[in-house]
């Protein structure tokens, strides 16, 4: 049985990776990934063999990895953040059915909700929902319903993929929906370039967020009814008596 | 300005900690934490000074940390998993207002949703909600509403603190509420003792989950409408064409 790894690289900096992720990657012969992440890995571990496919060739990327594993190579598929949060572990397990002699092992990493939360302060201290605004693979109506349910349930909301060239107004559309449930004064925050040069965090109201242009390297947080700003940080109290 | 760290230790094993968390803890003089986590840390870094308080003395624990920092010591408050997910970073930032000469820095870790997800397979591949079933600090009515909203929004749901001695029937109560929205055949999973001796994962239906006794070291996953079992693993497809 050939073991094949799906590894979350964490949000950006090498030191935000887990020790296990680092050890697994060091032990591999071949690293497979989306072009951008493979380039990042190459800087850390230049001596490995790298195989890449561009965006939208995710299934091909998985088969590339399994085929190397079948040749007897030790293979890791890398993802940014956590392998299991909008990452590649699901598709690897699905396509893994075609390769019964390979066993997929998932190695977790710190996803942007956690790393971005740490930069902002402590937005996720209570129950939270993570929603991607990308409608490439999900109908917008489904995203809209989830935004409404999360706001109505008073969850802290963390938005992934808040924008792209083709979806420049999606964050505004999301904010408009959320605003109908919870009002425009809610404390929100954005973090961009987490763990990379130019890392930037900002706390603002929901109405300010609605008018904000963000890029695809930004993670967005909408507080719950208790969330507040303390000294420029976004903090959701858990409810302890101080 | 004295820097004071709130550090997520990850789910269990030392190697599931990030490199940054390990470096920060190694550089500290004093490590403050809940008794159980401080004992775990002591095995890794025996030469540090450890200060602990039991459960329900969280505010005192924070003040203990700030007072050491004010003496000029380098201090870390440790939490299991991530510091910002039901951890101590929020309370540290709130109590930090009393100590304006200290600056709180949060170091993320892998929370049980991610680490448990990796053991089970890939349950969190799509939008998800994290809900704690502990009603120590949250009214049960609020928890119930969040369960209903998360199920109605077709989120994958990850439940923390699913049970305790005093709350032996809470998981059953939660499953009953979720079942009203989504039916009893939904694919679910449980993981216990993540990253520790006796780690155990199991995939089952929602109705089987409702009759299951779990302990406080268990993390529970309820799939969305697309979640399936593949070879004993719990997998939520993202929607890629295979």
């Amino acid at each position: 049985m050939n073991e094949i790894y799906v590894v979350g690289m964490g949000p950006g900096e090498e030191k935000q990776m887990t020790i296990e992720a680092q050890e697994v990657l060091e032990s591999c012969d071949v690293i497979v990934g989306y072009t951008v992440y493979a380039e990042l890995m190459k800087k850390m571990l230049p001596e490995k063999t790298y195989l890449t496919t561009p965006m939208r060739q995710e299934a091909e990327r998985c088969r590339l990895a399994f085929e190397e594993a079948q040749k007897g190579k030790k293979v890791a598929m890398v993802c940014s953040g956590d392998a299991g949060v909008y990452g590649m572990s699901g598709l690897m397990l699905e396509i893994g059915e075609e390769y019964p002699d390979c066993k997929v092992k998932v190695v977790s990493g710190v996803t942007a909700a956690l790393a971005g939360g740490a930069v902002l302060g402590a937005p996720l201290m209570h129950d939270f929902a993570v929603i991607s605004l990308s409608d490439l693979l999900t109908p917008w109506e489904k995203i809209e319903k989830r935004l409404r349910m999360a706001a109505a349930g008073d969850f802290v909301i963390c938005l992934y993929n808040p924008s792209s060239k083709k979806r420049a107004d999606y964050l505004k559309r999301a904010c408009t929906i959320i605003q109908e449930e919870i009002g425009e004064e809610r404390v929100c925050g954005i973090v961009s370039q987490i763990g990379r040069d130019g890392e930037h965090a900002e706390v603002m109201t929901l109405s300010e967020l609605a008018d904000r242009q963000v890029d695809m390297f930004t993670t967005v947080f909408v507080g719950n009814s208790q969330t507040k700003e303390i000294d420029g940080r976004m903090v959701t109290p858990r409810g302890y008596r101080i």
Side-chain angles (χ1 to χ4, degrees), chain A:
Chain A
M1 188 68 103
N2 301 301
E3 281 215 323
I4 181 164
Y5 295 86
V6 195
V7 179
M9 299 162 57
E13 281 182 297
E14 187 173 359
K15 69 178 183 181
Q16 292 180 307
M17 201 180 276
T18 67
I19 299 163
E20 183 177 17
Q22 194 187 42
E23 285 175 1
V24 165
L25 291 169
E26 279 171 358
S27 75
C28 282
D29 308 303
V30 179
I31 295 176
V32 185
Y34 167 50
T35 321
V36 174
Y37 305 134
E39 286 303 319
L40 274 174
M41 280 309 309
K42 227 180 252 183
K43 288 182 196 159
M44 301 179 201
L45 296 169
E47 76 285 7
K48 307 292 179 189
T49 301
Y50 286 88
L51 299 173
T52 67
T53 72
M55 199 97 81
R56 309 235 188 163
Q57 295 190 19
E58 287 79 10
E60 294 82 341
R61 196 182 306 152
C62 293
R63 292 196 177 91
L64 211 54
F66 281 110
E67 272 148 34
E68 290 297 309
Q70 283 192 319
K71 292 180 200 160
K73 306 273 186 184
K74 190 163 176 190
V75 181
M77 164 72 76
V78 290
C79 317
S80 75
D82 180 62
V85 176
Y86 310 116
M88 295 295 287
S89 61
L91 193 57
M92 284 291 285
L93 286 162
E94 288 181 272
I95 290 181
E97 288 195 282
E98 301 167 18
Y99 301 89
D101 54 334
C102 294
K103 165 110 181 133
V104 175
K105 190 171 176 337
V106 185
V107 179
S108 328
V110 172
T111 186
L114 310 186
V119 177
L120 270 171
L124 301 183
M125 283 302 299
H126 216 296
D127 304 333
F128 65 95
V130 175
I131 303 173
S132 166
L133 294 190
S134 167
D135 61 353
L136 276 180
L137 302 169
T138 310
W140 177 257
E141 297 64 39
K142 185 145 211 172
I143 298 170
E144 192 166 317
K145 174 146 197 209
R146 286 180 177 158
L147 291 167
R148 278 191 204 287
M149 294 295 114
D154 196 26
F155 285 95
V156 179
I157 304 172
C158 180
L159 301 175
Y160 279 49
N161 305 309
S163 182
S164 76
K165 276 177 203 156
K166 286 190 189 155
R167 303 180 287 109
D169 66 332
Y170 277 32
L171 178 58
K172 192 177 182 67
R173 285 165 67 180
C175 288
T176 305
I177 293 160
I178 294 171
Q179 224 163 278
E180 289 170 19
E181 304 286 336
I182 63 177
E184 61 181 37
E185 291 306 310
R186 186 59 54 88
V187 176
C188 296
I190 59 172
V191 195
S192 51
Q193 301 289 353
I194 302 167
R196 296 182 192 164
D197 286 342
E199 180 181 272
H200 175 76
E202 218 175 306
V203 181
M204 60 190 70
T205 64
L206 182 54
S207 64
E208 286 165 342
L209 179 65
D211 289 327
R212 194 59 180 259
Q213 273 302 328
V214 299
D215 63 19
M216 55 188 279
F217 303 106
T218 303
T219 308
V220 172
F221 296 79
V222 178
N224 73 12
S225 56
Q226 306 303 306
T227 304
K228 52 191 176 180
E229 183 173 347
I230 298 178
D231 248 347
R233 319 283 288 266
M234 182 176 177
V235 179
T236 302
R238 174 107 194 258
Y240 294 113
R241 192 171 297 178
I242 300 177

